[in-house]
Amino acid sequence: MGRVRTTWWLRGAVVSALLLVAGLVWFEPWALWTDETVREAPPSASEPATRPSAGTPAAEPVTEARGTFVSHEHPTKGTVRIVRLGDGTAVLRIEGLDTSSGPDVRVWLSDAPVRAGRAGWHVFDDGRHLSLGALKGNKGDQNYPLPRGVDWQAYPSVSIWCDRFDVSFGAASLVRT
């Protein structure tokens, strides 16, 4: 009887340990206490697609839209801009970002409206969205090139999106300037 009880206890301990390890790998709780600060310079005037005549400077970057982050699942602060460069390309510029770190966090353009509070946590994957890539850091200033030919106006919001848990850390509405 004692041997059977020990076998079941040992099996239960092994299963519990495996579940704990799997949970730690999935949730990555240590990421919540790890900050990554990025300090990318603002995008600068690029070489135009056609060379200007001698002495004609390249066009300076122009801010086409801007917004301010609101918090969702995690406290999130900072601003965002769409910057058009002299060569016609566009960059999404995040400045003064301060949010939590987490697993599989991305920068998304979305067609969903930004809603404050819990109502906005899960809306950004309901419609069309475009991933600009992994969040480079949870603090600081960073640039994300927009793919050529993408009309950012079809995506009037930006979300710091955790793809692992399908939740927005924070989001900003893009307002044309």
Side-chain angles (χ1 to χ4, degrees):
M1 183 78 162
R3 183 173 177 89
V4 171
R5 191 174 285 160
T6 301
T7 302
W8 282 107
W9 180 87
L10 185 59
R11 286 182 184 165
V14 169
V15 168
S16 295
L18 289 174
L19 289 173
L20 176 65
V21 168
L24 289 172
V25 169
W26 180 252
F27 286 99
E28 297 181 25
W30 54 86
L32 293 173
W33 296 282
T34 305
D35 288 333
E36 181 71 30
T37 300
V38 176
R39 299 267 185 239
E40 290 184 335
S44 60
S46 296
E47 183 79 21
T50 59
R51 295 187 145 261
S53 58
T56 305
E60 289 298 315
V62 174
T63 298
E64 293 188 340
R66 64 180 69 236
T68 301
F69 282 104
V70 298
S71 297
H72 285 147
E73 171 70 21
H74 295 273
T76 302
K77 296 177 184 173
T79 60
V80 63
R81 296 186 297 144
I82 299 287
V83 179
R84 179 78 50 196
L85 304 179
D87 64 358
T89 61
V91 173
L92 181 121
R93 168 91 174 151
I94 298 175
E95 296 174 323
L97 181 65
D98 187 358
T99 191
S100 298
S101 186
D104 204 15
V105 180
R106 309 221 164 256
V107 177
W108 276 14
L109 287 176
S110 173
D111 66 352
V114 175
R115 297 182 188 138
R118 289 184 66 95
W121 287 18
H122 302 284
V123 299
F124 297 99
D125 62 345
D126 291 347
R128 293 184 323 155
H129 57 272
L130 174 66
S131 178
L132 300 181
L135 185 68
K136 297 174 184 177
N138 63 310
K139 297 188 180 302
D141 309 321
Q142 42 208 283
N143 302 315
Y144 296 87
L146 273 60
R148 282 201 180 270
V150 167
D151 177 13
W152 65 263
Q153 294 178 71
Y155 303 95
S157 60
V158 177
S159 174
I160 306 299
W161 182 260
C162 180
D163 216 16
R164 169 104 26 109
F165 297 106
D166 294 327
V167 68
S168 175
F169 281 21
S173 293
L174 292 170
V175 178
R176 193 164 180 79
T177 56

